[in-house]
Structure formats: C-alpha cells, structure tokens
C-alpha cells in the first residue's frame, strides 16, 4: 500500500524517480535489505505485481545504476481504463 501512496503523489505526471535510500526509508525498511537483489525479490517485485493485479494502475519500473550498484528506481505508471458493465 505504501508503494501505491508513493506513486499517487505523482499521479499527474505518471512517472517518478526515487533514490533507493529514500525508497527504503519511505517504506520503513532502511536498516533491512542491504542487497538490492533481496529488496527486489522480497519487496519490489511482489508489491508491483500485487498493485498491477488489484489496483487501478499499471506499473513498470527500471533501475538506475551508477557503475554496478543500483542508486535509484524509475517508476512509470498509467491508470487502467475501467470497463463499463451492462446492468
């Protein structure tokens, strides 16, 4: 839910770039997941998959690297079109 809140702050632009340290502190996991691989496997991928299934957003993300290490995340998202149902 916190990832959804972070993205909805930039609803008008449809994209957000956030540094990895800021992302972890916003989620309250600053002291955990020192490896990006663990963060990606246990936090980032499951939350994006769940939001794509259950929310009104289609979310894609990319990593921004400096050298070999990941320094930031770039999110792009659009709202899903709602289907009208016949009553």
């Amino acid at each position: 839910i916190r990832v959804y809140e972070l993205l909805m702050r930039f609803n008008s632009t449809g994209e957000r770039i956030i540094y990895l340290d800021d992302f972890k502190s916003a989620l309250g996991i600053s002291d955990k997941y020192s490896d990006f691989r663990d963060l990606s496997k246990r936090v980032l991928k499951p939350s994006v998959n769940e939001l794509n299934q259950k929310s009104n957003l289609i979310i894609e993300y990319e990593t921004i690297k400096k050298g070999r290490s990941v320094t930031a995340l770039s999110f792009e998202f659009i709202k899903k079109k709602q289907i009208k149902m016949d009553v």
Side-chain angles (χ1 to χ4, degrees):
I1 293 175
R2 189 72 181 128
V3 174
Y4 181 79
E5 291 172 354
L6 288 172
L7 296 178
M8 288 311 288
R9 290 183 188 168
F10 291 84
N11 191 18
S12 60
T13 61
E15 56 186 65
R16 171 136 196 215
I17 296 174
I18 186 168
Y19 287 104
L20 197 57
D21 293 334
D22 296 337
F23 180 74
K24 288 168 68 173
S25 66
L27 295 178
I29 55 172
S30 301
D31 55 343
K32 299 178 183 177
Y33 305 112
S34 59
D35 256 0
F36 178 75
R37 175 181 42 193
D38 292 335
L39 177 73
S40 176
K41 182 172 61 173
R42 296 189 178 144
V43 177
L44 194 57
K45 286 181 183 177
S47 62
V48 168
N49 288 338
E50 184 176 356
L51 286 172
N52 282 336
Q53 291 174 1
K54 297 181 180 179
S55 73
N56 62 339
L57 298 177
I58 298 172
I59 303 169
E60 296 177 353
Y61 70 95
E62 293 179 358
T63 57
I64 299 173
K65 295 183 175 186
K66 184 174 184 181
R68 290 187 180 187
S69 61
V70 175
T71 57
L73 297 169
S74 172
F75 290 95
E76 293 183 6
F77 53 96
I78 57 172
K79 285 193 172 183
K80 291 180 187 175
K81 295 190 175 142
Q82 192 172 15
I83 300 172
K84 291 186 179 182
M85 298 181 71
D86 295 328
V87 178

